[in-house]
Amino acid sequence: LRRLYNEHVQSTVIRFQTHLPVYSLRAAAGKWGDQMPVEEEPEGDEGWMEVPEDLRLTKDMFIARVVGRSMEPVIPDGSLCVFRANVVGSRQGKRLLVENFEQSEAGGQRYTVKRYFSKKDPSKDSEWTHIVVRFEPLNPEFDAWEITEGHQCRVLAEFIRVLE
């Protein structure tokens, strides 16, 4: 029904109310994805996708494709997914979009989506430091992996849902 609606009904793009921006990045549901430049701002209304009415939108949300099977069954291979940037509070156990810029070459980034767990150094008073960050898949066919202190990566966004 949604496919037929999209084919035959021309909707008006109301940014961050009915539509979200679609970014060109592809996040791996494995280790790090291929290096790629990311288009940060879609041009015109073509880079915007209508989302279900039950999704409460905010200006820090976007859509990106997730490739690979390690986050199945929640995130099937090739899914378009909604993410919310500016993750607040504890990240423990959340499904996160993470950028690895340590392995990047000129203009390219690498991304993954995984469940996030970290161990922090309790000896630091005011500033916390990660000793190790563990990325866990949902699919038991895949192994978890870790990065240690000094690895250059950052959390970009939290997974919200898969778009049908």
Side-chain angles (χ1 to χ4, degrees):
L1 186 59
R2 186 137 193 80
R3 182 184 59 76
L4 289 172
Y5 172 83
N6 288 338
E7 285 177 14
H8 299 286
V9 177
Q10 190 74 8
S11 66
T12 302
V13 174
I14 305 173
R15 296 176 180 199
F16 300 106
Q17 291 182 30
T18 60
H19 291 68
L20 286 175
V22 179
Y23 290 140
S24 62
L25 73 87
R26 290 183 185 269
K31 284 208 175 184
W32 303 109
D34 295 333
Q35 292 181 13
M36 65 183 61
V38 175
E39 179 182 308
E40 293 185 12
E41 292 294 328
E43 294 184 23
D45 288 338
E46 290 182 19
W48 293 78
M49 178 181 282
E50 188 171 14
V51 296
E53 292 177 12
D54 67 333
L55 189 58
R56 175 181 270 167
L57 305 184
T58 59
K59 291 194 180 220
D60 59 353
M61 296 172 83
F62 61 92
I63 297 169
R65 188 167 304 277
V66 176
V67 293
R69 296 183 39 249
S70 74
M71 294 303 284
E72 290 180 346
V74 174
I75 306 174
D77 182 19
S79 297
L80 284 172
C81 299
V82 176
F83 293 92
R84 179 178 291 119
N86 305 317
V87 180
V88 295
S90 174
R91 297 170 178 170
Q92 293 288 21
K94 291 183 177 179
R95 291 173 284 223
L96 301 175
L97 172 63
V98 181
E99 176 187 15
N100 175 0
F101 48 93
E102 180 172 271
Q103 295 179 359
S104 297
E105 295 175 3
Q109 293 91 17
R110 293 176 179 234
Y111 303 91
T112 191
V113 176
K114 290 287 176 291
R115 263 189 317 193
Y116 177 101
F117 295 94
S118 70
K119 294 179 186 171
K120 298 180 180 100
D121 184 350
S123 66
K124 308 279 183 180
D125 291 333
S126 62
E127 191 177 312
W128 44 267
T129 303
H130 294 288
I131 298 170
V132 66
V133 174
R134 182 176 176 84
F135 296 110
E136 293 186 357
L138 298 178
N139 185 339
E141 294 177 25
F142 294 83
D143 294 325
W145 45 285
E146 296 179 347
I147 59 172
T148 56
E149 183 180 359
H151 190 90
Q152 299 294 317
C153 69
R154 67 179 169 159
V155 171
L156 294 179
E158 181 177 1
F159 168 81
I160 303 298
R161 72 187 269 184
V162 170
L163 294 175
E164 300 298 325

